[in-house]
Amino acid sequence: MSKKRSDCPISSSLEIWGDKWSLLIIRDLMLNKECTYGDFLKADEKIATNILASRLQHLLENGIIDKKDHPDSKLKILYHLTEKGIDLIPLIVEINLWGDKYLSTPADKKQLLENIKKDKQKFIEAARAYLTEK
């Protein structure tokens, strides 16, 4: 882990996962459980390969994600959230709810948000169970 700029928990946390690309990688892993490098490149946001490689390495070094060999290809690696990364579920849920309140949400994303609003705690528990099942 890199040297902290301050002892503020918000500042320290943001240094680990607080940039746009890191949060989108975490989002993709929460939704898909596991992703390859190529899966991240296919996301709508179109992350550049050098940025993706840098963010994946940073998240690995800070224990937010881990990697394992792909069962079907020796050339591919599967990335997944660690327990530390899974603990970010409530934060990602709140960011989604804030975005829905203040920004326009596409129709294809509304169902997920409705499920969250219906019972936020149940949604978080289900997401955690999904990500920790073997």
Side-chain angles (χ1 to χ4, degrees), residues 1 56-65:
M1 183 145 75
L56 288 171
Q57 187 60 39
H58 186 72
L59 292 169
L60 282 162
E61 289 171 358
N62 285 283
I64 303 297
I65 65 172

Side-chain angles (χ1 to χ4, degrees), residues 43-54:
D44 292 342
E45 293 83 12
K46 306 293 182 209
I47 188 171
T49 57
N50 61 324
I51 301 290
L52 176 58
S54 170

Side-chain angles (χ1 to χ4, degrees), residues 7-9 14 20-21 36 42-43 47-49 52 60 77 98 102 106 113 133:
D7 290 328
C8 172
L14 289 173
K20 169 186 174 177
W21 298 114
T36 64
K42 292 176 191 169
I47 188 171
T49 57
L52 176 58
L60 282 162
I77 293 173
W98 184 92
Y102 294 106
L113 288 161
E133 72 185 4

